[in-house]
Each structure stands twice: as structure tokens, then as C-alpha cells.
């Protein structure tokens, strides 16, 4: 089938138990949490939740909630574990001629397969009994919730395994990386090596630098002086920033340009952070 969603047939009591568990977990995920707009730069604390407003949920998920009985039923028909990405439940409410969807997702981990290749032992009357049937386990946690056209999650890494969030976490394209490397303010001795080091972390910083106009609005001398105030040494030659060929030094420079390097107010030590948010 072209539809990646399949229906897991369960008995009524099991369905009610799973739906109740997912509903409670969805409420706990967002309850009493400060909502932080997701921009890819901030890692939330325990009392915070990331949010993407106007999230474009795939149509096949919406259609599955509208008409679950129209889905193909999941059938296990071989000895190989299928590729299950996630399990979800959802509800549809119609108000004032508008549809409101609430969907809770749980990413599926490989250890949730109860494979016949493993010894699945179940406890009964003081004795463990092996169950030879293939099955799956469903936990009582969820990884993201979609409601009121917004997606809420604590971990980008986990949520992205369920839904494609790449367009919301902007990463510089090859063209943008090339434009960055050709900036009049930068000197890159080995452009091929620089491109090989431009992983996702660096590309995200390049996107921020390109969007912010930092290189257009500052001189190399000013950037070097500001870096020295953080005890960070940046090489300048012919009014150009020398891009390090060492990846650790490159990440320090990129972190500084996007304001992720700072000096502690009390310790006077220089720190680099992987998470930030405007005060």
C-alpha cells in the first residue's frame, strides 16, 4: 500500500487502556510547561516544552484519524521484524464547522519487538513461561503531541524520528555553504577540506550567520577584538578572518559568530554552549 499508516487491531479493553495511557502521557508532556518556540538553537529544561506553530501534519495521518477503518490492517507474515517507525492515537473533534485534531505519538524502538528469536518470558504462578508468538510492546510514554495546529515535543532528536522536522530546523544548503565560503571577510585556505568538515552542526551555524548579516555588518578587526574579550583567539590576515583547518577550532569560531561563546561573569572562564534562548 502507498499509505504508510496501518491499523493495529486490538480488543476493546486493550484499545481503551492504550488510549487512556497515551492521553494521560500527552497531558503530562505539556502540563505546566513553558512553551518555547522551536528554532533549533535551544535545548529545553524539564519545565519547558518546544513548539512548532502551524505544523504541517502529513495528510495520511489526518486521513487515518478521520477514517481508521479505511486503513489496511497490520499483518505479520514473515520471520523478519517489520520497520515500525511510530505508534500513534488520535481524536477528531468538529467545532463551528472546523476540525480539531489531537494526536499523540510514540517512537518505536527496536527493543519493543517481541521477536520469536528472543526468549520472551512471562511470569505466571511463580514460574516464567516462554511465549513463542511474535509481538510488540507499547510503553506508557509519548514523544510528541499535535494539537491546535501545533506540535509539542521535548527532544528534536526523538520527534524527528517520527515526523520529518528538517524544514523547521534550518540547515544551510550546498549553495549557502559555498556563498559563505566565498565571503569577502573570510579566507579559506583549503575550500575542499572546509566543505568536507561542514556537517549538520556547522551548516546550521552557517544558516544563522548568513541570515543575520554578521559578516556584512562587521569588520574582521572588530570580530577579532570582540573574540579577544572572550579570550578566544581568531587569526586575521589582509582584513580577513582565517578559517581554521582544525575542526575543533572551526567550531569555536562558528560558535562565536552565532553568539554561543561567552565569558563567565564570575569565573572569567570562556564557555561554549550548545543551547541558547533570548532573555
Amino acid at each position: 500500500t502507498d499509505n504508510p499508516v496501518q491499523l493495529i487491531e486490538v480488543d476493546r479493553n486493550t484499545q481503551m487502556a492504550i488510549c487512556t495511557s497515551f492521553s494521560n502521557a500527552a497531558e503530562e508532556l505539556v502540563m505546566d510547561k513553558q512553551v518555547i518556540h522551536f528554532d533549533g538553537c535551544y535545548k529545553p529544561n524539564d519545565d519547558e516544552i518546544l513548539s512548532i506553530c502551524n505544523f504541517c501534519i502529513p495528510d495520511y495521518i489526518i486521513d487515518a484519524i478521520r477514517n481508521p477503518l479505511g486503513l489496511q490492517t497490520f499483518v505479520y507474515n514473515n520471520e523478519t521484524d517489520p520497520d515500525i517507525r511510530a505508534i500513534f492515537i488520535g481524536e477528531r473533534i468538529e467545532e463551528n464547522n472546523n476540525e480539531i485534531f489531537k494526536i499523540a505519538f510514540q517512537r518505536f524502538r527496536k527493543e519493543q519487538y517481541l521477536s520469536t528469536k528472543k526468549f520472551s518470558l512471562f511470569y505466571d504462578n511463580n514460574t516464567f513461561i516462554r511465549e513463542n508468538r511474535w509481538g510488540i510492546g507499547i510503553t506508557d510514554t509519548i514523544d510528541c503531541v499535535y494539537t491546535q495546529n501545533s506540535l509539542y515535543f521535548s527532544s528534536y532528536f526523538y520527534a524527528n524520528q517520527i515526523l520529518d522536522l528538517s524544514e523547521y530546523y534550518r540547515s544551510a544548503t550546498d549553495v549557502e555553504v559555498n556563498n559563505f565560503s566565498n565571503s569577502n571577510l573570510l579566507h579559506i585556505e583549503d575550500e575542499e577540506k572546509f566543505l568536507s568538515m561542514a556537517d549538520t552542526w556547522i551548516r546550521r551555524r552557517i544558516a544563522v550567520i548568513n541570515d543575520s548579516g554578521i559578516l556584512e555588518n562587521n569588520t574582521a578587526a572588530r570580530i577579532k577584538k570582540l573574540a579577544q574579550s572572550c579570550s578566544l583567539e581568531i587569526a586575521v590576515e589582509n582584513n580577513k578572518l582565517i578559517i581554521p583547518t582544525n575542526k575543533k577550532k572551526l567550531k569555536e569560531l562558528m560558535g562565536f559568530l552565532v553568539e554561543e561563546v561567552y565569558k563567565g561573569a564570575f569565573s572569567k572562564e570562556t564557555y561554549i554552549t550548545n543551547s541558547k534562548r533570548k532573555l
Side-chain angles (χ1 to χ4, degrees):
T1 178
D2 293 332
N3 190 339
V5 178
Q6 295 188 15
L7 180 68
I8 297 179
E9 292 279 6
V10 294
D11 63 69
R12 183 170 178 81
N13 289 338
T14 302
Q15 181 187 35
M16 291 179 61
I18 293 174
C19 288
T20 299
S21 174
F22 272 46
S23 180
N24 292 339
E27 188 174 340
E28 290 176 9
L29 186 71
V30 298
M31 189 187 341
D32 300 326
K33 302 281 183 70
Q34 181 181 355
V35 177
I36 308 295
H37 173 70
F38 175 74
D39 62 4
C41 295
Y42 185 69
K43 183 178 180 181
N45 296 317
D46 291 340
D47 61 347
E48 298 170 330
I49 191 80
L50 297 173
S51 170
I52 299 176
C53 298
N54 298 317
F55 181 78
C56 187
I57 198 82
D59 288 341
Y60 56 77
I61 292 179
I62 294 298
D63 290 340
I65 302 299
R66 285 195 183 112
N67 182 27
L69 297 181
L71 295 171
Q72 176 180 320
T73 298
F74 172 82
V75 177
Y76 178 71
N77 54 17
N78 55 54
E79 295 182 358
T80 304
D81 291 336
D83 183 19
I84 300 176
R85 180 188 294 187
I87 291 175
F88 68 90
I89 67 162
E91 64 176 346
R92 170 187 172 274
I93 301 171
E94 193 165 335
E95 280 186 3
N96 302 321
N97 295 323
N98 288 323
E99 289 180 306
I100 299 174
F101 292 91
K102 185 172 183 180
I103 311 170
F105 297 88
Q106 177 184 118
R107 68 187 178 97
F108 198 86
R109 304 154 180 82
K110 64 180 181 179
E111 58 266 24
Q112 288 175 247
Y113 290 114
L114 305 180
S115 175
T116 54
K117 298 176 183 178
K118 304 175 184 177
F119 288 92
S120 299
L121 304 180
F122 291 86
Y123 189 71
D124 181 44
N125 195 26
N126 297 329
T127 303
F128 284 97
I129 302 171
R130 181 183 182 186
E131 175 58 70
N132 291 314
R133 289 180 296 172
W134 185 89
I136 59 173
I138 298 177
T139 71
D140 59 354
T141 61
I142 61 168
D143 296 286
C144 54
V145 175
Y146 174 81
T147 182
Q148 300 288 350
N149 296 323
S150 293
L151 185 72
Y152 298 91
F153 54 96
S154 297
S155 166
Y156 167 84
F157 179 74
Y158 292 154
N160 191 51
Q161 292 179 30
I162 301 170
L163 300 163
D164 184 6
L165 307 185
S166 58
E167 65 178 283
Y168 302 96
Y169 199 151
R170 198 167 103 69
S171 182
T173 64
D174 288 344
V175 172
E176 289 176 309
V177 173
N178 284 322
N179 290 341
F180 172 83
S181 64
N182 292 324
S183 168
N184 293 329
L185 205 68
L186 304 178
H187 173 72
I188 300 176
E189 185 174 341
D190 188 340
E191 189 166 334
E192 187 174 331
K193 183 173 182 180
F194 171 76
L195 292 175
S196 71
M197 291 193 297
D199 57 14
T200 302
W201 189 96
I202 290 174
R203 284 173 178 261
R204 286 169 183 156
R205 274 69 187 174
I206 288 176
V208 173
I209 292 167
N210 287 347
D211 292 345
S212 64
I214 290 169
L215 298 181
E216 289 76 21
N217 298 324
N218 291 277
T219 65
R222 182 169 188 267
I223 292 174
K224 179 177 181 177
K225 184 177 180 181
L226 291 171
Q228 287 174 335
S229 68
C230 290
S231 300
L232 187 67
E233 289 299 323
I234 294 179
V236 172
E237 186 177 301
N238 297 325
N239 298 318
K240 291 190 174 187
L241 301 174
I242 305 298
I243 298 297
T245 55
N246 176 280
K247 191 165 186 178
K248 179 176 181 293
K249 294 294 184 183
L250 174 61
K251 293 183 76 170
E252 289 176 357
L253 172 60
M254 300 298 288
F256 174 74
L257 291 175
V258 296
E259 301 181 301
E260 293 176 351
V261 174
Y262 66 98
K263 178 172 280 192
F266 300 101
S267 68
K268 304 302 180 184
E269 295 286 345
T270 300
Y271 298 95
I272 183 166
T273 177
N274 65 352
S275 177
K276 67 177 183 179
R277 178 164 63 95
K278 279 186 179 180
L279 183 65

